[in-house]
Amino acid sequence: MPLARPIVFGNWKMYGLRADSRARAEAVAAFARPDHGTVGVFPPFTVLREVVEVVGDRPVVVGGQDCHDRPEGAFTGSISPVMLRDAGAGAVIVGHSERRHGLGEGDDFVRRKAAAARAAGLLVVLCIGETEEEYLAGRRYEVLDRQLAGSLPEGAGPEDLVVAYEPVWAIGTGRTPTLEEIREIHGWLRRELARRLAGGAEVALLYGGSVKPDNAAGILAQPDVDGVLVGGASLDPGQFRHIYEAGGAGR
Ligand code: PGA
């Protein structure tokens, strides 16, 4: 079943010890409604199991922030998609810019992670986005095209893939593209996914990068924006709830 819109996913990054993560998860579980879109949280691995337990049977997706491309092996420090699934996760982010650019992970590795995550039964949240330098050089579409070509897992569809457009220069900076730019990019993404994947037109598209309570409604109202991936503001349950509610009744 395709995910109900709007989709509001919170990436907690490397924030949260057990007590505050439990409190955050409890708050999200308390406002999540089965009749209102899809809400999800992506806690650090160390608290993922606890968040799964706190959420229980409430309608909250819980996911990992990354995974390896193998089910097991001699890969010190890595977590496999099978392990995530075993811990109760339903989804995983791959290709986040803090790993692509921060840790030098390339398209091919991202694609293999995504394929392994699908094989393990996880929803893949695949992130793509250009750097500021690429943006200023007018290379945005060229970069997005290359990232799609290199990191989209074969055979994926609306049931197991979400694509998040996250311009690197907008992440954690308080800057965002204009609504016109977001509309144009997501329209382009919709056409590209339709061309590249069977059922690709139905794949949910998220915008990420400095989504806050005061800009969420405008972003979520754009025609091809099915949801948002929220970093900083997802750490504050009040702000995260506001963003979730800003999505309206869904479509
Ligand atoms: P931000 O992060 O909302 O803090 O800009 C978004 C992300 O990294 O997914």
Side-chain angles (χ1 to χ4, degrees):
M1 261 241 315
L3 297 170
R5 273 68 156 168
I7 298 162
V8 177
F9 282 170
N11 171 13
W12 293 358
K13 309 195 179 190
M14 198 175 73
Y15 293 100
L17 302 180
R18 293 170 61 205
D20 38 312
S21 300
R22 286 188 79 89
R24 263 180 208 127
E26 268 157 21
V28 175
F31 69 65
R33 304 202 310 264
D35 62 343
H36 182 83
T38 307
V39 66
V41 296
F42 294 74
F45 294 136
T46 48
V47 296
L48 191 134
R49 179 68 206 162
E50 236 162 304
V51 169
V52 164
E53 281 166 8
V54 166
V55 161
D57 58 6
R58 302 285 306 166
V60 180
V61 173
V62 181
Q65 297 173 14
D66 184 54
C67 65
H68 202 271
D69 68 338
R70 309 282 179 86
E72 62 179 7
F75 301 104
T76 303
S78 296
I79 301 280
S80 86
V82 175
M83 291 167 174
L84 284 175
R85 186 87 181 137
D86 183 53
V92 66
I93 296 171
V94 297
H96 192 280
S97 82
E98 284 150 19
R99 300 198 67 93
R100 284 183 186 270
H101 301 285
L103 298 173
E105 296 186 357
D107 282 329
D108 193 53
F109 192 26
V110 174
R111 185 182 49 74
R112 284 187 275 118
K113 289 173 189 235
R118 284 185 68 228
L122 296 172
L123 172 74
V124 173
V125 182
L126 171 68
C127 301
I128 57 172
E130 81 286 356
T131 63
E132 177 146 45
E133 199 187 344
E134 291 161 342
Y135 171 64
L136 292 174
R139 295 178 48 219
R140 172 188 264 161
Y141 286 103
E142 175 198 325
V143 170
L144 297 180
D145 191 61
R146 193 189 64 223
Q147 290 178 338
L148 282 181
S151 57
L152 263 186
E154 248 175 62
E159 305 75 29
D160 58 12
L161 177 70
V162 168
V163 174
Y165 168 61
E166 298 206 303
V168 180
W169 51 273
I171 296 176
T173 59
R175 295 159 57 207
T176 60
T178 64
L179 292 178
E180 289 67 33
E181 284 179 292
I182 292 175
R183 184 159 63 234
E184 189 191 300
I185 292 160
H186 282 75
W188 176 86
L189 267 177
R190 181 80 69 209
R191 292 190 295 279
E192 277 301 307
L193 288 170
R195 190 170 73 73
R196 291 174 186 274
L197 296 173
E202 260 57 68
V203 167
L205 303 178
L206 310 186
Y207 167 79
S210 295
V211 176
K212 305 289 174 198
D214 62 354
N215 62 18
I219 293 170
L220 284 164
Q222 300 310 307
D224 288 303
V225 174
D226 299 308
V228 286
L229 180 54
V230 186
S234 73
L235 295 172
D236 176 332
Q239 291 193 26
F240 193 52
R241 177 181 193 156
H242 194 111
I243 294 168
Y244 174 65
E245 302 290 345
R251 50 194 158 92

